[in-house]
């Protein structure tokens, strides 16, 4: 007999939810950077889009210490 699993307990649901969290975190970081430094250059945005959730959260904390967009570039090079 096939056992039915609630949708919110499926692997697919968890993966989609995690992707959504990552996208929301990246979007927030880009908005914060834009507010602080003006328009974020496209190449830097592309680098941020490649970060996983843990890296994006680290960037969110680090950006509080940035005084210039160059600090962001240096952080991304690490």
């Amino acid at each position: 007999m096939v056992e039915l699993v609630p949708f919110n307990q499926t692997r697919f649901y968890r993966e989609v939810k995690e992707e959504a969290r990552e996208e929301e975190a990246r979007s927030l970081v880009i908005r914060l950077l834009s507010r602080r430094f003006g328009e974020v250059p496209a190449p830097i945005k592309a680098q941020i889009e490649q970060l996983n959730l843990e890296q994006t959260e680290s960037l969110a904390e680090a950006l509080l210490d940035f005084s210039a967009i160059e600090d962001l570039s240096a952080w991304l090079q690490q």
Side-chain angles (χ1 to χ4, degrees), residues 63-76:
L63 73 84
L64 297 172
D65 298 325
F66 296 166
S67 57
I69 196 79
E70 292 76 21
D71 297 328
L72 170 59
S73 295
W75 188 93
L76 289 168

Side-chain angles (χ1 to χ4, degrees), residues 26 29 47-48 50-62 75-76 78:
R26 288 189 294 261
V29 165
Q47 285 182 282
I48 293 170
Q50 299 302 313
L51 300 176
N52 64 34
L53 183 58
E54 184 178 323
Q55 293 167 323
T56 304
E57 289 173 343
S58 292
L59 175 55
E61 292 176 10
W75 188 93
L76 289 168
Q78 294 181 19

Side-chain angles (χ1 to χ4, degrees), residues 4-33:
L4 295 177
V5 177
F7 180 72
N8 64 352
Q9 293 179 7
T10 63
R11 184 179 70 164
F12 174 76
Y13 177 83
R14 289 190 306 269
E15 289 174 0
V16 168
K17 187 175 179 181
E18 182 69 17
E19 287 177 24
R21 287 184 63 214
E22 288 178 354
E23 183 59 36
E24 288 172 12
R26 288 189 294 261
S27 177
L28 176 60
V29 165
I30 290 170
R31 286 194 323 266
L32 291 171
L33 289 166

